[in-house]
Amino acid sequence: MATAVDNTSWLRDEIAGLKEQGLFNSIRTIESPMDGWVEIEGKRVLNFCANNYLGLANHPAIKEAAKQAIDQYGVGPGAVRSIAGTMTLHDQLEERLARFKKVEATITMQSGFTANLAVIPALVGRGDTIFSDGLNHASIIDGCRLSRATVVRYEHNDLDDLRQKIKETDITGRAIIISDGVFSMDGDLADLPGLYEIARENGFLMMVDDAHGEGVLGEGGRGIVDHFGLHGKVDVEVGTMSKAFGVVGGVIAGSQTIIDWLRQRARPFLFSSAMTIPDVAACLQAIDMLEESTELVDRLWSNGEFFQHGLKEMGFDTGHTETPIIPVMLGEAKLAREFSKRLFEEGVFAMAIAYPTVARGAARIRVMNTAAHTQDDLKMGLEAFKRVGEALEVI
Ligand SMILES: Cc1ncc(COP(=O)(O)O)c(C=O)c1O
């Protein structure tokens, strides 16, 4: 009998290295519903980690919609839609999303990540060029790689650099500019009007990933295109229902032509099953709620502004956020992890974010405000930041 070969010792070394550098990410287990407060290790803690911007993940109306849909339609979609057929609910969601986003058509995917993997290779390929913001999300980077197009990265949100890179690039086929709408680690916004102008001048396609703008920016949470009044100008909007909608799922919004093409060519649509029934029903309910009232979106913003103001007053560096995402810049990964650990001891769950999610030396605590937080919650959170900040001599 052959002796077993230890072919993963290199992985153990890698993991040990990560631990040594304070870069090993330990994932907390949540023992309660996802909400403004959660239970971890039997302890109730204030939750500043979730992208559950509007507090819909555990909202009674959303849960009820999912339950009713299960009773009527079951749970799973059966197979990929192009083979097993599409269900009424999926069609309804795409129509409602199109109306909500004020576009001709949409197509849903299993997640925002898959939406990027779906749309980018369907629009550009070998011989084409992608101009991609230097801080774009991993799913855009992977979508670009899958496409086999030439990827030209421009400096984050730097339109002069983009113009320069365009000048220097030999563009033979199609070209597209792709940017995150809200940059998830810093909370800043893409200069979408400027990007659109450059795309228009050059005859390029323009695509924005609005994962953190959906349900957050624009009138009643209609997203970054609405925020800047660019309806009909941005060719492709990618979105997610995993954040503000409180559910899971991805969406691509644009012209009927683009969406028709994606139904023929988007590989995650053709080769992976659709969103589940309760997810779709929950998303439909979320749209109802967003269309009925802006109350949750308004509360999210006032909470974010209150918390950021409080942190700044204490002397924390909150970067250059323009949204309810608040990065508390700390620098070294070890300090950020220690900060997060001490916050947890104070009853606040706020994760440290370090390399490779952000650049080395740019570790931070990222505070995600939500509409599920009360003023008292926020005051308690600020007091915890003050105690830990002082103890670690950050402020
Ligand atoms: C900009 C951006 N795009 C896409 C995604 C992926 O979304 P989902 O969680 O729905 O896959 C995220 C989530 O982290 C994101 O921040």
Side-chain angles (χ1 to χ4, degrees):
M1 206 174 95
T3 39
V5 178
D6 181 4
N7 55 5
T8 54
S9 64
W10 63 279
L11 276 179
R12 284 192 293 281
D13 293 345
E14 290 282 347
I15 290 169
L18 290 179
K19 287 184 176 163
E20 177 73 26
Q21 297 166 67
L23 295 176
F24 188 82
N25 190 9
S26 305
I27 300 171
R28 299 270 192 194
T29 303
I30 311 288
E31 296 145 4
S32 63
M34 187 53 75
D35 222 323
W37 288 79
V38 288
E39 206 173 296
I40 298 173
E41 293 165 17
K43 181 172 155 176
R44 204 167 159 265
V45 287
L46 184 58
N47 183 14
F48 281 143
C49 288
N51 299 326
N52 179 26
Y53 287 110
L54 303 177
L56 296 183
N58 188 38
H59 193 286
I62 300 275
K63 291 197 286 190
E64 192 48 42
K67 284 182 205 167
Q68 278 185 18
I70 290 177
D71 286 344
Q72 194 174 352
Y73 294 106
V75 178
V80 299
R81 290 164 67 185
S82 51
I83 293 174
T86 199
M87 300 185 80
T88 333
L89 276 184
H90 290 82
D91 284 344
Q92 275 174 19
L93 178 60
E94 285 164 351
E95 281 159 24
R96 291 291 305 279
L97 280 167
R99 243 185 295 151
F100 181 69
K101 304 283 294 174
K102 302 183 186 168
V103 291
E104 283 179 12
T106 70
I107 182 170
T108 53
M109 298 285 157
Q110 305 79 1
S111 70
F113 202 109
T114 31
N116 277 323
L117 300 190
V119 67
I120 301 170
L123 294 180
V124 284
R126 216 187 286 278
D128 297 332
T129 310
I130 300 170
F131 293 94
S132 178
D133 186 288
L135 289 189
N136 273 346
H137 187 260
S139 53
I140 296 179
I141 295 170
D142 288 4
C144 291
R145 286 179 183 151
L146 275 178
S147 76
R148 299 189 180 135
T150 302
V151 181
V152 180
R153 276 171 57 131
Y154 59 91
E155 293 295 324
H156 172 53
N157 228 355
D158 185 338
L159 300 193
D160 291 337
D161 188 52
L162 172 58
R163 281 204 176 85
Q164 187 58 33
K165 295 264 161 68
I166 292 172
K167 248 190 230 160
E168 289 164 4
T169 306
D170 180 20
I171 301 165
T172 46
R174 284 189 292 277
I176 185 168
I177 299 174
I178 306 181
S179 178
D180 270 15
V182 178
F183 290 86
S184 57
M185 293 300 141
D186 293 283
D188 56 329
L189 295 188
D191 180 350
L192 200 56
L195 291 173
Y196 162 70
E197 216 34 60
I198 295 177
R200 194 189 60 80
E201 281 162 18
N202 289 280
F204 296 169
L205 288 162
M206 177 71 230
M207 169 179 147
V208 67
D209 178 344
D210 202 22
H212 288 269
E214 215 80 75
V216 176
L217 289 171
E219 188 214 340
R222 280 166 176 75
I224 192 164
V225 168
D226 189 80
H227 171 82
F228 284 119
L230 290 170
H231 294 290
K233 294 180 169 166
V234 172
D235 297 292
V236 179
E237 279 175 78
V238 165
T240 176
M241 290 163 283
S242 330
K243 301 185 193 298
F245 280 48
V247 192
V248 75
V251 56
I252 303 159
S255 67
Q256 188 68 54
T257 309
I258 288 178
I259 302 308
D260 284 348
W261 177 244
L262 294 177
R263 282 186 205 285
Q264 304 306 312
R265 283 293 179 271
R267 291 170 69 84
F269 180 77
L270 298 175
F271 299 105
S272 181
S273 295
M275 291 169 69
T276 72
I277 305 306
D279 290 333
V280 175
C283 289
L284 279 164
Q285 178 63 30
I287 299 175
D288 280 349
M289 292 169 70
L290 282 165
E291 285 181 344
E292 263 162 32
S293 159
T294 63
E295 189 193 332
L296 292 175
V297 180
D298 296 343
R299 196 183 315 148
L300 164 70
W301 279 88
S302 63
N303 280 355
E305 277 154 21
F306 177 83
F307 205 81
Q308 195 192 355
H309 179 73
L311 287 172
K312 275 188 172 162
E313 268 203 330
M314 286 180 222
F316 283 103
D317 173 4
T318 58
H320 43 274
T321 181
E322 299 167 76
T323 61
I325 297 173
I326 306 179
V328 180
M329 308 305 287
L330 295 169
E332 289 314 310
K334 273 189 178 162
L335 173 62
R337 294 215 190 287
E338 181 60 23
F339 204 108
S340 170
K341 190 172 141 264
R342 294 211 190 183
L343 280 176
F344 192 75
E345 285 159 13
E346 296 271 350
V348 175
F349 178 37
M351 279 297 275
I353 309 238
Y355 180 82
T357 311
V358 293
R360 284 185 199 276
R364 65 200 65 183
I365 300 287
R366 188 180 60 157
V367 179
M368 302 301 288
N369 283 277
T370 75
H373 294 123
T374 65
Q375 278 282 303
D376 283 349
D377 294 341
L378 300 179
K379 284 181 192 153
M380 181 233 153
L382 285 172
E383 281 159 19
F385 266 86
K386 185 163 194 290
R387 280 192 292 275
V388 176
E390 283 171 353
L392 294 176
E393 297 179 3
V394 172
I395 51 170

